[in-house]
Amino acid sequence: MNTPSSILSAIPRRLHLQPDHPIAITRQLIESRFPGFSYHNEHFPVVTVEQNFDSLGFPADHIGRSRTDTYYLNRETVLRTHTSAHQADTFRANQSAGWLISADVYRRDAIDRSHYPVFHQMEGARTWDRSSLEGGKSLAQTIWDDVAKIPSHDIKVEDPNPTIHSERNPLQESHSAEEIEAIAAHLKRSLEDVVVAIFSAARTAATAAAVDAGGTASEEKPLKVRWVEAYFPFTTPSWELEVEWQGDWLEVLGCGIVKQDLLNNSGVPNRLGWAFGMGLERIAMLLYSIPDIRLFWSTDPRFLTQFDASRPIQRFVPFSKYPACVKDVSFWLPTSSSAAGGHGQNASATTTFGTQGFHENDVMELAREVCGDVVEDVRLVDEFVHPKTGRKSMCYRTNYRALDRTLTNQEMNALHHEFRQQLVQRLGVELR
């Protein structure tokens, strides 16, 4: 058990189901691009290790299984780290050819404006049944007919790599190249349609905000997207979709052809198809120009009343930004610990984080646990190894900033002192 009460308290919030919440509105926008799909938005977040990892083919030594990355309730039960934890069960139920799952997911992660230990994902899949083809058509032709039904677009798409590559993106033994070319085309066209809807809404909101501020709408550059080869344990071939946005390439989602073993083990060996996953917070932050992921969890009416599912997407109007309060902490790692991110043994740190040794995510978790959501970000700013003793020193900078008030130096000194003491007691470090 390494799940603190602060994380457990987030389970009832279910932001993706709250009316007029930006996460829920984003979910509904994406769902609207998949007519005929079934929606599954009520799954409880406690799942088994088998559901979260084994059913998807995660190897036994995968870093995602580590207690430094995943919240365990006991040895065999976790808070799901992705919506894919429900993929095998949904395939097994075999209730519809296409489906979407949206849910809250939990990961021990960094602290900054775009990362939070609880966030929301959407998982989608579309499969076809080889045993129920109509009109004597081949599976590939059936899928190409479905591709023709997807709305067309005029965006520029970069897709320079072949669908199948023997080393980087191999074909599965039970699939034919003709089938996979058709499925890949259906997958890519479907997700390009989603991207067009999302970024068109974002641009419309940005234009409206500029006009409301007394300016003029800037000339829009053509939207550009690109497909990049990727690797995921449960799909092959696999890709990521990136969009050029405000001068940078932004990763939007990951996807691929579902591994046939997953479908076979789910009792639907005649089916094959595609799956994708995307983070709803990233899309919502882009749609509404929300600068800090902590805002999604705010109950402040100044935030919540800005959103309405019945209106077009509108840019978030920030309320006053309160000043930051910055504090540093420097410490020596225990002599038996490995470097940051490692898994060396540390006999002195045997409480919540066990005896795996120092890991940066433990620092992040303690900051959240002790200081709550007034922590805006925590980052490593300095490290060195003593030339004589070989001991490693690390310095982390914590940026404290509340979303609703000005923090006093006195209260932050007390909070930071408690954070420092917990680093000693629970991680076995030596303060400098």
Side-chain angles (χ1 to χ4, degrees):
M1 170 68 170
N2 67 338
T3 308
S5 59
S6 58
I7 297 299
L8 294 174
S9 67
I11 290 176
R13 294 291 301 276
R14 297 159 69 84
L15 303 184
H16 64 294
L17 297 178
Q18 286 188 19
D20 296 328
H21 193 282
I23 296 295
I25 297 172
T26 301
R27 170 184 62 80
Q28 293 163 344
L29 172 62
I30 299 170
E31 287 176 345
S32 72
R33 307 312 302 174
F34 292 96
F37 277 47
S38 62
Y39 308 140
H40 306 274
N41 300 324
E42 302 282 351
H43 288 301
F44 196 64
V46 176
V47 299
T48 65
V49 169
E50 196 280 332
Q51 287 175 299
N52 201 72
F53 299 119
D54 299 334
S55 70
L56 297 166
F58 278 77
D61 60 350
H62 194 279
I63 184 61
R65 293 177 181 263
S66 170
R67 294 173 73 254
T68 60
D69 284 43
T70 295
Y71 289 110
Y72 279 81
L73 301 179
N74 55 47
R75 186 177 296 276
E76 300 298 333
T77 311
V78 300
L79 293 178
R80 62 181 165 228
T81 62
H82 44 201
T83 47
S84 301
H86 303 288
Q87 193 178 107
D89 292 334
T90 309
F91 282 136
R92 187 174 295 110
N94 199 21
Q95 294 176 340
S96 59
W99 47 260
L100 299 173
I101 298 171
S102 297
D104 44 330
V105 299
Y106 301 76
R107 293 183 194 172
R108 301 181 76 224
D109 207 344
I111 298 178
D112 58 41
R113 294 183 189 179
S114 62
H115 290 85
Y116 201 78
V118 190
F119 56 104
H120 297 77
Q121 282 187 338
M122 177 180 284
E123 178 96 2
R126 173 67 162 93
T127 61
W128 291 262
D129 191 339
R130 280 197 179 110
S131 64
S132 61
L133 302 176
E134 297 179 356
K137 293 181 180 179
S138 68
L139 178 61
Q141 185 56 57
T142 298
I143 298 170
W144 281 115
D145 289 347
D146 288 338
V147 172
K149 301 173 186 176
I150 302 171
S152 60
H153 63 73
D154 58 359
I155 63 174
K156 182 178 180 181
V157 179
E158 297 179 17
D159 192 8
N161 298 308
T163 300
I164 301 163
H165 189 282
S166 58
E167 295 179 357
R168 300 192 306 265
N169 246 344
L171 178 70
Q172 299 176 53
E173 290 184 3
S174 57
H175 296 168
S176 72
E178 293 78 12
E179 292 169 341
I180 298 313
E181 290 287 352
I183 295 174
H186 192 281
L187 165 64
K188 291 179 177 180
R189 285 282 299 277
S190 297
L191 297 179
E192 289 164 9
D193 178 70
V194 171
V195 163
V196 170
I198 291 170
F199 284 83
S200 295
R203 283 181 163 179
T204 299
T207 299
V211 172
D212 289 345
T216 57
S218 59
E219 184 177 347
E220 294 183 354
K221 295 181 179 179
L223 183 64
K224 293 198 301 183
V225 304
R226 68 183 182 189
W227 290 100
V228 179
E229 292 175 332
Y231 167 79
F232 303 108
F234 37 91
T235 57
T236 185
S238 303
W239 302 274
E240 291 175 342
L241 180 59
E242 298 181 343
V243 177
E244 189 178 47
W245 184 252
Q246 298 179 346
D248 293 317
W249 284 100
L250 176 70
E251 177 195 333
V252 176
L253 56 87
C255 60
I257 309 302
V258 180
K259 283 194 174 178
Q260 199 60 39
D261 284 349
L262 196 161
L263 293 165
N264 295 347
N265 295 335
S266 299
V268 286
N270 290 326
R271 303 198 77 91
L272 66 164
W274 55 254
F276 78 91
M278 67 169 65
L280 294 180
E281 270 82 354
R282 170 170 286 190
I283 301 301
M285 291 177 82
L286 180 152
L287 273 174
Y288 292 100
S289 297
I290 294 173
D292 193 315
I293 197 169
R294 293 177 298 166
L295 281 163
F296 290 119
W297 297 89
S298 174
T299 57
D300 192 324
R302 291 175 298 175
F303 176 75
L304 295 176
T305 57
Q306 293 194 36
F307 311 99
D308 186 338
S310 65
R311 299 197 313 254
I313 300 296
Q314 296 180 320
R315 298 190 84 177
F316 167 65
V317 179
F319 30 92
S320 299
K321 185 161 185 176
Y322 298 95
C325 186
V326 179
K327 306 289 182 183
D328 289 352
V329 57
S330 298
F331 52 79
W332 295 104
L333 295 184
T335 55
S336 58
S337 175
S338 63
H343 300 279
Q345 294 300 307
N346 175 7
S348 61
T350 57
T351 55
T352 300
F353 303 114
T355 58
Q356 286 187 306
F358 179 87
H359 194 285
E360 186 171 83
N361 281 352
D362 295 338
V363 177
M364 304 296 172
E365 192 66 43
L366 273 177
R368 290 190 181 99
E369 218 178 313
V370 174
C371 309
D373 280 353
V374 297
V375 181
E376 183 175 67
D377 63 65
V378 179
R379 64 188 63 190
L380 180 68
V381 293
D382 189 34
E383 59 181 321
F384 75 95
V385 176
H386 194 285
K388 293 184 178 180
T389 65
R391 296 187 71 186
K392 188 168 188 176
S393 171
M394 311 190 80
C395 179
Y396 281 88
R397 177 160 296 160
T398 304
N399 197 39
Y400 297 100
R401 189 197 309 267
L403 296 170
D404 58 352
R405 62 190 175 90
T406 297
L407 301 173
T408 68
N409 200 49
Q410 182 178 9
E411 66 177 318
M412 285 304 97
N413 281 342
L415 201 60
H416 193 67
H417 175 76
E418 177 60 23
F419 175 40
R420 287 164 53 91
Q421 296 307 306
Q422 288 298 316
L423 286 171
V424 173
Q425 294 177 26
R426 300 174 69 174
L427 299 188
V429 302
E430 179 184 340
L431 296 178
R432 297 187 60 206

